[in-house]
Every structure is written in C-alpha cells, then in structure tokens.
Amino acid sequence: MADRYLRLTGTAPGRFLTRRLGLPQPTPLRRWSAEHPALDGAVLRLTAGDIAEPRAEPLAAVVLDATAIAEPVGLGAVHASLHPLVRSLAACGRVVVLGARIDPADPHQAAAQQALEGFVRSLGKEIGRGRTVQLVRLAPGADAEAALGFLLSPKSAYVSGQVIEVGPAPEGGPGGPGKRRVALVTGAARGIGEQVAATLARDGAHVICLDVPQAADALTAVADRLGGSALPLDITAPDAGERIAAAVQGDGGERVGGLDGPGGLDVLVHNAGITRDRKLANMPADRWDPVLDVNLGSVLRTTDHLLKSGALTDRARIVATASISGIAGNAGQTNYAASKAGIIGFVRALAAVPEVRERGITVNAVAPGFIETRMTAAVPLFIREAGRRMNSLGQGGLPIDVAETVAWLAAAGSGGITGQVVRVCGQSLLGA
Ligand code: NAD
C-alpha cells in the first residue's frame, strides 16, 4: 500500500536518480496536525489588477478577488496580479481565485467568469511542488471565509483544480449551543470511513459508526477508540432507514449508547461502497445489482427515510461519496461508475429541493480519486502506479484527505455550500 516511489524521491540519492532519468518528482504534501495547523508564511489578498511588492519570504497563499471582472478584456488584470507572484509561492502553497456566479443573462460576464475556470485548472497543472489552485465562485450575498478556511489550510492538501460555488448561508449550523453534534458514518469499520469518523470525532461530534454485521469487531474497536457508538447494520437492509432513526431517536427501537439530550442526526455521511469490476460483456447481474444497491439505492432510501421521519435535524449536513470514475468513466466499472454518477445527480437535485433548502440542510458529494486504501491496494501494480502518478500532485491521496474534505462540508460554517461535488483527487487527469 505504501508509495515507495514517493519515499525514494524524498531522499537525496533518489531525487538525483529520478531527475537524471526525467521521472516525476512528487513533493510530499503538508497535511494538518495539531502541532502544525496552518501553512507557513503569509497569505496575500489582492484584487485583480493589484501589483504586490516583491517579497523575500515565500508566500503561503495568494487569494485573488476577480469577482468584478465582467468582460474578457478585464482578464489581463488576473495575469498582471499573479504572473509576478507564482515564483514566490512556497512548496504546498495555495492560489485561490474568487470569481462571481455566472450570469446566464450576460454573455460577456459569463465568458469572463468561465475563463477563470480554464485559467485555474491550467495553473493547477503547471504550478508543481505540491501547490494547489482553486476557483471559488461567490453568489450574491455569499461569504468566502468558510471555503477559504479550508482551502488555505493543510487540510486541503490533496484538493486541487476545483471549482466550488458558495451561496449565502443561513444562520447557524447543526447542533447548536449546548448540543453535541451527532454524526453517522456508513462503512466506518475501515479505510476512508474510519478516517471520516475519526475526523468528525476530532471536530467534536458523537459519531455513530455503521458497517456490516460481519465487520462488527473492527467496527466496535473504531467506535470505542473514538468515544462513539457502533451500529452493525447492512445499509441495503430494507429497514435500514428505520433502524438508523431508531438508533438516533429511540423511536420504535433501541437508541445507541452514549447519546444524551434530544435525538436527531446532524451529520449523515454516506461512505459505504463496493466494487465488482468486470467489462460489461462479462458482467452478470449478480455483479451489477449489489454495486448499484450499496453505492446508490441504499443512499437514496435511507436519506429519504431520515428526511421524512424528521430524524435529520434542521441545518443538517449530508455528504455522499462519489468517485472520479463517476465523472470520467472507467473501463471495467460500468456498474460502479453508474452508481457514483447517480450520487452526483442525487446530491445536486436534493440540494435544490425547496423544503431541504428552507430547512438549511446542505447536500454535497466528495469524489475521491486514487486514495491509498485496501480497495486500491488490490489494483494490479501497473494500473496502481498509473493511478498514483496521473494527477497534478504526482501521488495518491490518503484517507485523511477525503475525511478532511467531508469534515469541512459537514462543518457548522459551511451552510453556504450545497449541491457541490468536490473532487479529492490531486487534480486527476481522469475526467479533468
Ligand atoms: P473499503 O472497502 O476499504 O471500505 C468500505 C467499507 O464499507 C467497508 O468497511 C465495508 O464493510 C463497508 N460496506 C460495504 N458494504 C456495506 C453495506 N452494505 N452496509 C454497510 N457497510 C458496508 O473502501 P474505501 O476505499 O474506504 O472507500 C470508501 C468509499 O470511498 C466508497 O464509497 C468508495 O467507493 C469511495 N471511493 C474510494 C476510492 C479509493 O481510492 N479508495 C476512490 C473513489 C471513491
């Protein structure tokens, strides 16, 4: 599972050798830790057209406000501001361009603002040294700070080339004063789900960890370690929604241990997922059906039930797990890619449902790329190595990278972010 090549290029002889052979030189990413919670260096905030003084110290980040650009001729200001700064940006530094929501009634504004997307995605591909580049599109009345808090921190190490739209946020987040947030994570016995559960617990939630009954021992160990609760349950069971509602609220069943105060689920993370790869011509229905049911059908059924039964609180956060396969497609994964593309359709549509919006509930998806887990360790060596390198950061991500992104979307301050699909893929070339 370990990325031995990344370790090799982290040594002086390895760097020398790989440079001589013209091989990629991925930069080890700076990730969040309690000891080093912020990037080193200053964050420079500019409006497009501002020219910054030259600096001796490398910059941690540049935030460029390009929201006012409404004509393509104004794009020269983006070049003027950023061209002199690119070389001053530290390794693992950040560029965030703030754009405006595209106005379909104004073709010139639409051209100028869409141009920022091509700009950001190209800069992300060329900037190198573990640095990332994003576009945050602000709707009228939106506040960029919740997005910037994540994107300018080491928590977003493996997120690059993303376009994220932020709208105005309703007051307050889930939980509220005096109430500890309750989160449920499916597929939490191992891999990405375990890390999501740990990260939500780090951020103060009581986490209910759900996984199949066969994984009950590992699940209980995770829940105990995090001070949360274990809920062994197959998410495809027809009554899974009812069982989760009962576990949270106690209606018609047993409430899981460790919960106090009024019931209600504040954060719902659909992470459980399976693959059964085979080309369509060789794929029997028994490899198709379970993938569609675990990855998509169960997500719709349980979400619908938890919304309807009132088990989800106002201003709850729903985060589902898609995949870059669901965006780009992947040979041998018609079933998996269909299920993950379905997730994208679901979150976009559910986020726009008036009742969901009015209740301040947000619905988003993360779309991981190549993440170092048991799932990807099982991929044949050559394909695995290609998956690791074919992205702007030249390496695979870690479960913590997905977990940090989920935790950000689940945070109280992220109420303005809904209907978004955030790729955690190091700007993978697949589906770019
Ligand atoms: P994993 O196989 O390590 O873990 C998945 C967990 O889900 C397991 O603990 C499993 O027991 C549980 N699960 C499976 N079916 C279930 C069911 N019916 N009910 C309850 N739990 C069930 O996988 P992972 O790599 O950690 O992936 C987590 C999610 O991320 C999945 O949705 C996956 O499709 C997605 N994803 C992963 C990658 C990657 O590179 N690893 C890339 C893109 C997307």
Side-chain angles (χ1 to χ4, degrees):
M1 207 148 84
D3 186 345
R4 293 205 180 86
Y5 183 81
L6 182 62
R7 248 190 254 153
L8 174 75
T9 56
T11 64
R15 247 192 320 275
F16 174 77
L17 185 71
T18 49
R19 196 173 298 134
R20 288 295 290 267
L21 293 172
L23 294 170
Q25 308 251 310
T27 298
L29 300 181
R30 204 27 195 92
R31 292 184 167 90
W32 184 93
S33 70
E35 297 73 40
H36 292 105
L39 295 171
D40 300 321
V43 175
L44 187 61
R45 291 183 185 236
L46 300 172
T47 298
D50 291 351
I51 310 293
E53 295 293 316
R55 335 179 129 239
E57 295 295 310
L59 287 165
V62 181
V63 180
L64 185 78
D65 184 345
T67 51
I69 298 178
E71 289 287 344
V73 70
L75 294 165
V78 174
H79 172 267
S81 295
L82 290 180
H83 162 72
L85 288 175
V86 176
R87 288 203 177 89
S88 312
L89 204 62
C92 300
R94 308 279 191 261
V95 176
V96 179
V97 176
L98 303 178
R101 178 182 269 178
I102 289 187
D103 179 358
D106 181 349
H108 287 214
Q109 189 267 8
Q113 289 295 325
Q114 187 72 33
L116 295 175
E117 198 170 315
F119 172 81
V120 156
R121 292 198 202 277
S122 297
L123 186 58
K125 288 187 174 176
E126 70 184 36
I127 198 164
R129 298 182 61 212
R131 297 179 284 195
T132 66
V133 188
Q134 334 280 349
L135 174 61
V136 175
R137 280 204 183 116
L138 300 172
D143 178 0
E145 293 313 310
L148 289 177
F150 173 68
L151 296 173
L152 300 180
S153 86
K155 293 178 176 176
S156 62
Y158 200 60
V159 177
S160 191
Q162 296 308 288
V163 179
I164 298 158
E165 185 155 319
V166 181
E171 284 287 296
K179 179 183 181 287
R180 190 172 179 204
R181 295 201 305 163
V182 177
L184 181 122
V185 180
T186 70
R190 67 177 204 207
I192 295 172
E194 178 183 359
Q195 205 51 255
V196 171
T199 309
L200 293 174
R202 176 200 71 188
D203 291 352
H206 178 99
V207 186
I208 303 172
C209 303
L210 180 153
D211 211 299
V212 288
Q214 302 89 292
D217 288 349
L219 186 68
T220 306
V222 172
D224 288 350
R225 183 163 52 80
L226 304 178
S229 321
L231 182 58
L233 172 65
D234 186 328
I235 198 67
T236 62
D239 62 347
E242 283 90 334
R243 301 262 307 269
I244 295 170
V248 177
Q249 296 180 301
D251 326 331
E254 181 99 349
R255 214 172 168 200
V256 290
L259 294 182
D260 46 22
L265 196 58
D266 303 300
V267 178
L268 171 60
V269 181
H270 294 291
N271 162 82
I274 57 168
T275 51
R276 297 282 183 275
D277 295 357
R278 198 149 299 168
K279 287 191 178 154
L280 184 63
N282 305 322
M283 188 184 293
D286 66 5
R287 291 183 88 86
W288 174 276
D289 295 339
V291 171
L292 269 291
D293 201 32
V294 174
N295 298 1
L296 182 60
S298 71
V299 172
L300 273 55
R301 285 194 303 272
T302 49
T303 308
D304 288 351
H305 181 83
L306 294 171
L307 273 169
K308 240 182 263 149
S309 66
L312 275 166
T313 59
D314 285 351
R315 294 183 292 282
R317 307 280 185 250
I318 302 172
V319 185
T321 310
S323 161
I324 56 165
S325 289
I327 297 169
N330 201 12
Q333 290 199 318
T334 51
N335 50 357
Y336 182 76
S339 71
K340 296 299 189 178
I343 287 291
I344 294 174
F346 180 60
V347 301
R348 287 188 178 145
L350 186 62
V353 167
E355 192 208 326
V356 170
R357 286 197 93 92
E358 280 152 23
R359 291 181 60 195
I361 296 173
T362 66
V363 193
N364 294 288
V366 288
F370 185 99
I371 306 295
E372 306 278 358
T373 62
R374 260 207 237 179
M375 200 186 246
T376 48
V379 172
L381 176 69
F382 181 72
I383 303 175
R384 185 163 76 229
E385 207 34 39
R388 275 182 178 139
R389 303 299 156 221
M390 280 171 54
N391 59 73
S392 299
L393 299 171
Q395 58 199 290
L398 302 180
I400 188 65
D401 298 320
V402 182
E404 293 286 15
T405 309
V406 171
W408 163 57
L409 294 169
S414 298
I417 304 170
T418 191
Q420 304 299 298
V421 178
V422 181
R423 293 170 49 153
V424 186
C425 65
Q427 198 181 20
S428 169
L429 297 180
L430 292 180

